[in-house]
Amino acid sequence: MAADCGIVVAKYCLKLFNFLFFIAGAILLSVGFWLAIDKNSFVRLLTKISQDTTLHQFSQPTVIEQASWILIAAGGFVFVLSCLGYCGAYQESPFMLGTYSILVVAILALEITAAGLAINYKTEADTNTREFLKSTISKYYATADKADAVTLMWNYLMAQFKCCGVENYRDFSLSEKWQLSNKVVPNACCVLEGDIQLFKPKDPACPDRPSESNSYYNKGCYQALYSWVKTNLDLVIAVCLSLASIQVLGIIFACCLCHKLGG
């Protein structure tokens, strides 16, 4: 009786858990396809609902296109995975539940492996991460009128963490797209005034003549992020453990239900 009660609890927890992710995945997919098919209607809606110039930065065609593919990929994965979990529990299908369990185990194993490799090969991981981040600047960072998702990401990161580039401002000399601006540093590397998301330098001369007083041009974002993680290590660990716990519970519930149905 107790065992049957536990299976019922596992079934309904699995259904609830995956139903929430199913809805989230469906929303991501819908928005992604909407952006991919009809960018103009999104821009018009964005203009109607808000006059906030910060939001309008996301109306760049390149940003919308990149965002649409990211949403479709992420939404599709979440949608399929949660569909397997929910339908498997609802229809009591050992095949669906087994497939769901294998996929979640694979994801968890990849996360643990990546964390283990990063810890054991810290120097190599540090070097490779820096090189990867520099490559995103050299390949994608552009001027404001041609900004894409990567450019916006870097601008928000630099404005928020008061830093410039991966190591320093020299990283931007690697970007041909940025060199068209004929500026030394992006606005986001400067000491900003007002809403930092508008990237308005306090000193108008900063982008052309950065200094220690009007910018953060010698402060790299990699070290700034590393310092933030160290300062907020408890929060980072709590988030990682919470995500891992959800995945483990999903695996346990699916395996218990699958075993009961198979038995």
Side-chain angles (χ1 to χ4, degrees):
M1 181 67 181
D4 290 340
C5 182
I7 293 301
V8 171
V9 171
K11 177 180 177 179
Y12 282 98
C13 284
L14 197 61
K15 286 170 64 177
L16 176 62
F17 170 76
N18 283 284
F19 179 74
L20 295 176
F21 278 92
F22 178 83
I23 296 298
I27 292 172
L28 291 176
L29 265 180
S30 300
V31 174
F33 279 120
W34 175 32
L35 295 181
I37 295 170
D38 190 4
K39 300 180 181 68
N40 293 329
S41 65
F42 173 78
V43 174
R44 286 197 298 270
L45 179 63
L46 198 62
T47 304
K48 285 182 180 179
I49 63 175
S50 176
Q51 297 301 315
D52 188 348
T53 54
T54 303
L55 288 177
H56 294 168
Q57 296 177 67
F58 295 93
S59 64
Q60 294 275 5
T62 307
V63 175
I64 294 176
E65 182 178 357
Q66 292 172 338
S68 68
W69 291 115
I70 292 172
L71 290 174
I72 289 171
F77 180 77
V78 172
F79 183 86
V80 171
L81 187 62
S82 58
C83 189
L84 280 171
Y86 181 83
C87 294
Y90 182 80
Q91 297 183 350
E92 298 185 348
S93 168
F95 174 75
M96 286 186 177
L97 290 170
T99 305
Y100 172 81
S101 300
I102 291 171
L103 289 175
V104 178
V105 167
I107 294 169
L108 187 59
L110 286 173
E111 292 170 349
I112 294 172
T113 302
L117 289 173
I119 293 171
N120 291 325
Y121 299 94
K122 186 177 181 299
T123 303
E124 291 85 348
D126 183 82
T127 302
N128 290 335
T129 302
R130 288 175 188 267
E131 290 304 317
F132 169 75
L133 291 174
K134 286 181 181 180
S135 72
T136 64
I137 291 178
S138 64
K139 293 179 181 178
Y140 304 108
Y141 195 87
T143 53
D145 59 322
K146 296 180 181 178
D148 58 9
V150 175
T151 302
L152 280 181
M153 181 275 292
W154 269 111
N155 285 341
Y156 277 94
L157 180 69
M158 293 187 295
Q160 187 66 42
F161 286 91
K162 299 179 179 179
C163 55
C164 191
V166 180
E167 305 283 355
N168 53 48
Y169 75 100
R170 293 185 182 87
D171 294 329
F172 292 99
S173 65
L174 304 172
S175 172
E176 293 182 2
K177 296 178 180 178
W178 166 250
Q179 290 304 309
L180 296 174
S181 69
N182 295 318
K183 294 181 179 179
V184 178
V185 297
N187 288 3
C189 287
C190 299
V191 175
L192 304 175
E193 65 177 3
D195 186 353
I196 63 171
Q197 296 181 4
L198 298 177
F199 312 124
K200 183 181 179 182
K202 194 172 183 179
D203 178 3
C206 171
D208 299 306
R209 296 188 298 277
S211 65
E212 294 290 347
S213 60
N214 67 8
S215 72
Y216 309 102
Y217 75 127
N218 274 325
K219 180 184 177 184
C221 290
Y222 186 86
Q223 190 58 46
L225 278 170
Y226 183 75
S227 299
W228 183 89
V229 171
K230 286 182 67 177
T231 303
N232 298 275
L233 191 58
D234 291 342
L235 175 62
V236 174
I237 292 174
V239 171
C240 292
L241 288 177
S242 297
L243 291 174
S245 298
I246 292 173
Q247 291 172 320
V248 170
L249 284 175
I251 294 168
I252 292 173
F253 289 152
C255 288
C256 288
L257 189 56
C258 190
H259 177 72
K260 178 67 176 178
L261 293 172

